[in-house]
Amino acid sequence: MFEESKVAFFLAKRSIVRGNKGTLYLTILILGMVFVNLIFLPSIITGVAVLFNQQSIDYSYGNLVIEPSKNQIYINNVSELQKKVEHIPGVTGVSPRYSTGATFTHKGNVVTATLAAINPDDEKTVLKTPSKVITGNFLSSGDTDQVVLGYQLAGNMNEKLDVIPSLGGVSVGQTVDITFSNGVTRPYRIKGIINSGSYSADGSAFITKKEYESVIGINDKANEILVRTEATGNENSMRNTLISFGVQEKIWTWEEKSANFLNQIIGSFNIINLIGTIVSLVIAIVVIFIVIFINTVYRRKQIGILKAIGIDRSIIIKSYIFQALFIFAIGTVVGGIFLLLILQLLAVSPIVFPGGPVAPVVDPMLIVRSIISLLIVSIIAGYVPAWITTKEDILSAIRG
Amino acid sequence: MIIGRDLKRIYGKGPVQVLALNCVSLEIKKGEFVGIMGASGSGKSTLLHMLGLLDRPTSGSISIDGIDVGTLNERERTLFRLRRLGYVFQDYALVPELNARENVYLPSMVRGMTPNECTMVCSEILDLVGLKGRSHHLPGEMSGGEQQRVAIARALVNKPTILLADEPCANLDSQNSRIILDLFKKLNGDLRQTIIMVSHEEWHKTYFDRIIYMKDGLVEKK
Ligand SMILES: Nc1ncnc2c1ncn2[C@@H]1O[C@H](COP(=O)(O)OP(=O)(O)OP(=O)(O)O)[C@@H](O)[C@H]1O
Ligand SMILES: [Mg+2]
């Protein structure tokens, strides 16, 4: 067995060293590209998912969201609950808020959008929205007749540039009328405009919680409390901690809150990914198969001679598998180098998605999986053509 | 001892059918140096292919040292060739990707010799056939005669009990032919190797213990 492999290895080595270099380099290159293809697209998709997840946390939900108990519209005695949660170990920020719908009017533009009523100082401890002001300023705790708009909601003078229905390009200092759910309409001066890269934040408006409570006529309530925790990833155990500290309201993790949207996106991406992977692997199989097949057909006579002088078919087949493995090994290394170069390039000038710049996230398991699939593909694509060609009888092979 | 019984080999089918061997029977004793002679197309190579286990007769049987080789499967026949037979092809049949030395030692490598042993045996034999300085040349870089001698060296490297040579001197001048034939004679004498050699040359006859004449796929009685 070992002797056989030694001879097969010897023959493979000579074939590679003395065979056609052009074809060899080309095959290695193709295999390398297939490897890049297997890794790159999924990594970008993972990168997008990571970006969306981070946005959900940073601009929409924090890590945990406390909502009113069943059949309640509001959480009552919010300041008490806030204090309680703030003191739980692992909690770094708590922001009680009202998240509702409202109608915004400016010079004939009427838009319905999300209105978040917040305590600016609390909001800063949970979300990054307050730090994303591009013009003007964010709200201060005493503000009453001021509003901060997401830049998508503020919009553009040129309607065609808008992604969502907008106020037509309003800017800081102008006035917007807000009609609340109870029918009250009040004018607000635009204090600032934010651009966070998150669709939900950039399509919302912000006023102070105090102002909202005075309009609606309620006090010390909220319809959601966002909680930021020290670490991301252990939301479930933090939820239990909150419960053990006596929080009786409903508690969601950010993942649960954004589940539908994200699952849909990731679900469709996974299908794209699967198709891409299968196509890549089929290309790899076909290319290596063709190359090895042409190689063996081209060496028909040689294979006949080898059999004639007493070299078993299995040794000859093995020598072609070794050649395929060589192509696989070098191809993977070449592909790996390519991939590193691409990642380096993307680190310098990232791909900008609507949500912001996306850095590819390379999962080590994906690399392992890709290498294993390519390995299997190479063995099959080396074995089958060699098996076919070595079947021929000796004299016909030698005559050519 | 090689015994062939009623060997027939028919090439092709239908109207283009060629009867290359037409019921040949023969016996060759161990240690005999046998010449096969006859006109071109008379079936000499075809017969040698059968005896060298490179092809199977359409009908008839061959037994070598008591083994009915027709009953062996491909793997067993390959092993048989490796261990017991040396074959010199009419058109050399060297492996183009291997240089002279590698071509020669490949069969001994398959038999499990270490690289050192291979190198030793190989340079000895290349020396015997007068190719000492050519060991690193690829077949494509050698003359017909040189390639032929590499093919002879390869056939001899495993010290086969039976050597089958299809016109091994066809491309050699008379001086080199004599060197090869003397070598064959010596191996035949020293190692009691059975040698079956196809030849066209009248003067080779002096080397043979016996000659089998062939004509139109038949052994001629003389
Ligand atoms: N593969 C083949 N297909 C068809 N006919 C063949 C084949 N091989 C040999 N023959 C025919 O069989 C006959 C015997 O051929 P063979 O090669 O044995 O002759 P030979 O005696 O060796 O001739 P030479 O001295 O020219 O080498 C010839 O008529 C040849 O044309
Ligand atoms: Mg012939």
Side-chain angles (χ1 to χ4, degrees), chain A residues 326-346:
Chain A
F326 175 79
I327 292 170
F328 152 78
I330 305 293
T332 314
V333 170
V334 168
I337 292 170
F338 256 106
L339 205 61
L340 281 178
L341 287 178
I342 292 173
L343 291 182
Q344 215 93 69
L345 203 73
L346 285 183

Side-chain angles (χ1 to χ4, degrees), chain A residues 23-136:
Chain A
T23 326
L24 182 69
Y25 294 150
L26 218 63
T27 318
I28 288 174
L29 191 70
I30 291 171
L31 201 96
M33 291 301 115
V34 168
F35 183 64
V36 170
N37 206 25
L38 283 177
I39 306 263
F40 183 68
L41 187 64
S43 300
I44 289 288
I45 291 171
T46 310
V48 172
V50 166
L51 178 74
F52 281 151
N53 287 345
Q54 199 56 49
Q55 282 188 344
S56 283
I57 296 172
D58 286 345
Y59 300 107
S60 299
Y61 303 117
N63 296 91
L64 295 170
V65 182
I66 303 173
E67 288 189 351
S69 312
K70 240 190 183 160
N71 303 326
Q72 302 277 313
I73 300 170
Y74 296 117
I75 303 166
N76 297 314
N77 300 323
V78 158
S79 37
E80 196 182 309
L81 181 58
Q82 183 180 357
K83 281 218 186 63
K84 187 179 353 181
V85 175
E86 275 170 353
H87 285 101
I88 295 173
V91 171
T92 57
V94 180
S95 178
R97 50 204 318 267
Y98 299 96
S99 181
T100 66
T103 305
F104 301 78
T105 313
H106 177 80
K107 286 192 186 151
N109 287 311
V110 182
V111 181
T112 303
T114 304
L115 175 68
I118 55 159
N119 291 325
D121 293 334
D122 291 338
E123 188 82 351
K124 276 172 207 161
T125 64
V126 178
L127 299 185
K128 291 186 176 164
T129 327
S131 65
K132 295 294 173 182
V133 176
I134 46 168
T135 49

Side-chain angles (χ1 to χ4, degrees), chain B residues 45 90 166-167:
Chain B
S45 294
Q90 192 166 5
D166 200 344
E167 306 203 27

Side-chain angles (χ1 to χ4, degrees), chain A residues 46-244:
Chain A
T46 310
V48 172
V50 166
L51 178 74
F52 281 151
N53 287 345
Q54 199 56 49
Q55 282 188 344
S56 283
I57 296 172
D58 286 345
Y59 300 107
S60 299
Y61 303 117
N63 296 91
L64 295 170
V65 182
I66 303 173
E67 288 189 351
S69 312
K70 240 190 183 160
N71 303 326
Q72 302 277 313
I73 300 170
Y74 296 117
I75 303 166
N76 297 314
N77 300 323
V78 158
S79 37
E80 196 182 309
L81 181 58
Q82 183 180 357
K83 281 218 186 63
K84 187 179 353 181
V85 175
E86 275 170 353
H87 285 101
I88 295 173
V91 171
T92 57
V94 180
S95 178
R97 50 204 318 267
Y98 299 96
S99 181
T100 66
T103 305
F104 301 78
T105 313
H106 177 80
K107 286 192 186 151
N109 287 311
V110 182
V111 181
T112 303
T114 304
L115 175 68
I118 55 159
N119 291 325
D121 293 334
D122 291 338
E123 188 82 351
K124 276 172 207 161
T125 64
V126 178
L127 299 185
K128 291 186 176 164
T129 327
S131 65
K132 295 294 173 182
V133 176
I134 46 168
T135 49
N137 292 297
F138 198 69
L139 300 168
S140 318
S141 50
D143 288 343
T144 52
D145 56 352
Q146 313 246 31
V147 66
V148 167
L149 300 177
Y151 88 101
Q152 306 271 27
L153 177 59
N156 299 282
M157 295 286 197
N158 181 354
E159 216 174 303
K160 284 182 184 145
L161 295 174
D162 286 345
V163 181
I164 54 170
S166 83
L167 294 170
V170 293
S171 47
V172 172
Q174 290 183 305
T175 303
V176 175
D177 291 331
I178 301 181
T179 306
F180 294 87
S181 51
N182 61 356
V184 174
T185 301
R186 282 196 188 171
Y188 290 86
R189 179 187 165 272
I190 299 171
K191 188 178 184 185
I193 290 174
I194 56 153
N195 182 354
S196 67
S198 148
Y199 274 114
S200 65
D202 292 345
S204 310
F206 302 84
I207 60 171
T208 60
K209 186 163 175 280
K210 213 176 279 166
E211 169 66 13
Y212 183 80
E213 286 175 339
S214 89
V215 171
I216 304 292
I218 50 178
N219 189 29
D220 201 21
K221 295 183 194 298
N223 65 6
E224 61 180 18
I225 301 176
L226 307 187
V227 180
R228 179 72 113 168
T229 59
E230 235 159 42
T232 297
N234 53 0
E235 279 77 10
N236 281 322
S237 79
M238 277 309 290
R239 166 161 53 195
N240 290 334
T241 310
L242 259 61
I243 293 169
S244 73

Side-chain angles (χ1 to χ4, degrees), chain A residues 310 312, chain B residues 74-84:
Chain A
D312 196 72
Chain B
E74 279 314 311
R75 202 184 161 90
E76 288 162 343
R77 283 164 72 91
T78 304
L79 210 61
F80 195 98
R81 286 196 296 273
L82 177 71
R83 296 211 176 126
R84 303 204 192 192

